[in-house]
Each structure stands twice: as structure tokens, then as C-alpha cells.
């Protein structure tokens, strides 16, 4: 009787081992969205996210800059997969996110096509950066773009490149401190224009607008281009999402909407934070 009991214990333990082995070998199943398509999931700045058809492109840590000449083998993604960047477009006034997918309602695509070529259209393009692409220290970046002559030794003055060097002003525009390009940068652009026969508008020159908190930390950087062509007058706004997540966001919009920069930031932030699925992930653990 003891031998039979011992054999039964061995059999049960073997079955248990097989069940464990089988459960460990089961491949993680990525959740599907409302269209039946699997989400792009992963870790975005320390938070688990689901990225659906709203984000038409997503870069992970192992496919950034993939050589298109080689066949890329798609990997199974989990909530530990580090997302480097993704992008989406939206109409900031009402929060309508563009979704171009054959199973999705055509409303956002129709609105986008009808409005995108207007010089004052309200569509914005957002790119989110995280992990190795984060670089969220906006204070240091501003400091590196505001070098003063006293910081440069005399022997280096002639060789010094004033491109992308800004000077602070006392002017504030929509609660943003205005910085202007260094005069030598503007002069160099004028000479470049004369040499290559471009139009008289400044080439690659942008004004810089800065938001700082009470400690002097840079919270928002906005660069707005100069151009004689209305459609080309755009601004690029950068801000970070900490403490919610370690992510930096770049938003491009028409410069006529600079006055709405705070609302634009709020609308984009809301969309990005809505991708977080922390509660769902915890329930599945």
C-alpha cells in the first residue's frame, strides 16, 4: 500500500511539473483594440501603455533606426518592452485624434483632409520620446543655447559658431519669456541667402519662447520660425510629463496658435496619459 501511495505522489508531481512547463511556454497574448487589432504595448517612461490605431508608428529599443534593407523579425512585446518614441496627430481645439484605418469611423480622416492645408488649421503633430530618447533636461538645453561672449575665449571668437545661440529679452509673450537669435547668426543667414539666391526671408531662424517655474527650472521650450509663407510659419513646443512619467513631448503647430500653447499642452498630455493601462495590468498579475 505504501508503494502505491508513493507512486501516486510521484505521478502527481510529474503532472504538476508538466503543467508548469506548459504554462511557462505559453506565449504572451497581446490585447486587441476595438477593431480587433493587437495593441502596441510596452513601457513608456515607467508606465505600461496600450497604443492603438491612433499611433500609426511606434519605435522600441530594439528597432530604432532599423536597416530597411534587412528583413525585420517582429518580436513579441510585453509591458517590459521599452518604447523609445511614437507619434500621433490631433485637432487640439476639440481633442479629435486622427485615426486612419479601414475599420475605423471615417470622421477624423475626413476632417483632417478638409482642413490640413489651411494656413491656420488647428491640427497638431505630437511625438513622444522616452527611455534612451528621453533627454528631458530642458534647463540644460536652454543653457547650452544661450552662451554669452564672456564664456568664450578670445582665440575662439573667430571660429565660434553662433548658430542656434539665443539672447534673452525682457519681453514676455503669452506668459513666455522671449529669446531672440544672436545678431551674428542673423548676419550669417543673410550672407547665406545672398550666396545661394534664396528669397529675402530668413532661413532656419526661429524665435525662442520659454516657460520657467519659480525656481528657474525650464518647463516649456517653444521655437517659432520666420517665413514669408503663411503655411511655413510653425512652432515646435517641447515639455516633459514628469512626475506622471519620464517622457518628453514635441508638438508642432501653426504659429498663429501660439496664444493657445497652454491649452495645446493640456490636450496632448491628456491623450498621452490616457494610453496608460496600469490598473488593467495589475489585475492581470
Amino acid at each position: 500500500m505504501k508503494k502505491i501511495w508513493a507512486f501516486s505522489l510521484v505521478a502527481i508531481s510529474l503532472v504538476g511539473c508538466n503543467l508548469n512547463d506548459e504554462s511557462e511556454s505559453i506565449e504572451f497574448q497581446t490585447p486587441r483594440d476595438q477593431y480587433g487589432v493587437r495593441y502596441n504595448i510596452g513601457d513608456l517612461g515607467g508606465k505600461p501603455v496600450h497604443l492603438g490605431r491612433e499611433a500609426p508608428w511606434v519605435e522600441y529599443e530594439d528597432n530604432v533606426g532599423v536597416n530597411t534593407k534587412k528583413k525585420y523579425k517582429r518580436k513579441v512585446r510585453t509591458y517590459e518592452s521599452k518604447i523609445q518614441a511614437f507619434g500621433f496627430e490631433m485637432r487640439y481645439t476639440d481633442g479629435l485624434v486622427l485615426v486612419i484605418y479601414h475599420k475605423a469611423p471615417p470622421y477624423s480622416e475626413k476632417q483632417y483632409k478638409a482642413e490640413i492645408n489651411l494656413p491656420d488649421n488647428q491640427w497638431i503633430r505630437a511625438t513622444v520620446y522616452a527611455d534612451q530618447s528621453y533627454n528631458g533636461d530642458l534647463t540644460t538645453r536652454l543653457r547650452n543655447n544661450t552662451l554669452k561672449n564672456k564664456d568664450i575665449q578670445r582665440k575662439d571668437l573667430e571660429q565660434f559658431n553662433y548658430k542656434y545661440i539665443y539672447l534673452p529679452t525682457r519681453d514676455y509673450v503669452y506668459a513666455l519669456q522671449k529669446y531672440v537669435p544672436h545678431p551674428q547668426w542673423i548676419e550669417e543667414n543673410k550672407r547665406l541667402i545672398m550666396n545661394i539666391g534664396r528669397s529675402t526671408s530668413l532661413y532656419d531662424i526661429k524665435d525662442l519662447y520659454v516657460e520657467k517655474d519659480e525656481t528657474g527650472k525650464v518647463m516649456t521650450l517653444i521655437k517659432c520660425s520666420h517665413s514669408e509663407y503663411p503655411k511655413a510659419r510653425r512652432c515646435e513646443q517641447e515639455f516633459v510629463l514628469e512626475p506622471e512619467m519620464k517622457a518628453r513631448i514635441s508638438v508642432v503647430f501653426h504659429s498663429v496658435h501660439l496664444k493657445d500653447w497652454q491649452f495645446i499642452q493640456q490636450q496632448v498630455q491628456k491623450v498621452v496619459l490616457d494610453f496608460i493601462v496600469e490598473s488593467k495590468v495589475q489585475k492581470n498579475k
Side-chain angles (χ1 to χ4, degrees), residues 7-8 15 17 48-49 62 122 152 178 198-199 230-231 247 256:
F7 176 79
S8 298
V15 171
C17 289
V49 294
D62 59 350
Q122 298 160 340
I152 310 166
K178 184 176 181 179
R198 287 185 178 271
S199 63
K231 288 185 179 181
V256 294

Side-chain angles (χ1 to χ4, degrees), residues 42-165:
D43 179 313
L44 179 68
K47 298 289 185 178
V49 294
H50 286 175
L51 302 178
R53 300 306 94 192
E54 309 92 342
W57 63 272
V58 181
E59 288 185 349
Y60 290 87
E61 57 187 333
D62 59 350
N63 73 342
V64 175
V66 172
N67 187 342
T68 55
K69 294 182 180 179
K70 296 181 180 180
K71 186 176 181 180
Y72 176 72
K73 184 178 180 181
R74 181 179 176 83
K75 294 189 176 182
V76 176
R77 303 301 180 186
T78 69
Y79 294 108
E80 284 71 46
S81 300
K82 301 295 184 182
I83 295 174
Q84 304 298 303
F86 72 92
F88 62 91
E89 295 188 63
M90 68 179 292
R91 189 168 59 191
Y92 80 87
T93 48
D94 60 358
L96 178 66
V97 178
L98 175 64
V99 179
I100 300 178
Y101 184 63
H102 69 280
K103 290 185 179 181
Y107 178 73
S108 65
E109 185 177 1
K110 287 182 178 179
Q111 293 287 301
Y112 178 83
K113 289 181 177 179
E115 300 169 359
I116 191 60
N117 290 321
L118 300 176
D120 59 346
N121 81 77
Q122 298 160 340
W123 289 88
I124 63 177
R125 184 175 70 252
T127 306
V128 184
Y129 301 95
D131 197 48
Q132 297 178 32
S133 302
Y134 175 48
N135 189 19
D137 187 356
L138 300 183
T139 303
T140 298
R141 290 174 58 188
L142 175 65
R143 187 181 303 121
N144 291 340
N145 282 296
T146 54
L147 296 176
K148 298 180 181 179
N149 290 350
K150 66 180 182 181
D151 299 322
I152 310 166
Q153 297 181 12
R154 285 185 176 274
K155 64 179 181 179
D156 297 328
L157 284 176
E158 293 183 3
Q159 289 78 27
F160 184 72
N161 185 3
Y162 286 92
K163 191 175 184 181
Y164 306 126
I165 298 301

Side-chain angles (χ1 to χ4, degrees), residues 142 168-180 207-213 217-224 235-239 253 255 257-265:
L142 175 65
T169 72
R170 296 182 180 180
D171 297 333
Y172 281 79
V173 180
Y174 308 119
L176 298 163
Q177 184 179 6
K178 184 176 181 179
Y179 286 66
V180 295
D207 285 332
L208 176 65
Y209 301 91
V210 182
E211 177 202 18
K212 300 178 184 178
D213 66 9
K217 179 181 178 181
V218 176
M219 308 300 292
T220 307
L221 290 175
I222 304 178
K223 290 183 179 180
C224 295
C235 295
E236 180 181 8
Q237 176 173 340
E238 290 188 86
F239 62 97
F253 57 91
S255 60
H257 303 307
L258 178 61
K259 64 183 184 300
D260 293 333
W261 70 271
Q262 290 172 304
F263 184 56
I264 290 172
Q265 188 162 311

Side-chain angles (χ1 to χ4, degrees), residues 162-163 165 180-193 202-203 205-207 226:
Y162 286 92
K163 191 175 184 181
I165 298 301
V180 295
H182 194 285
Q184 283 197 228
W185 179 9
I186 296 177
E187 289 301 316
E188 289 174 7
N189 267 267
K190 288 180 179 178
R191 288 195 293 270
L192 175 63
I193 290 167
L202 295 178
Y203 175 66
I205 291 288
K206 300 177 177 67
D207 285 332
H226 294 266

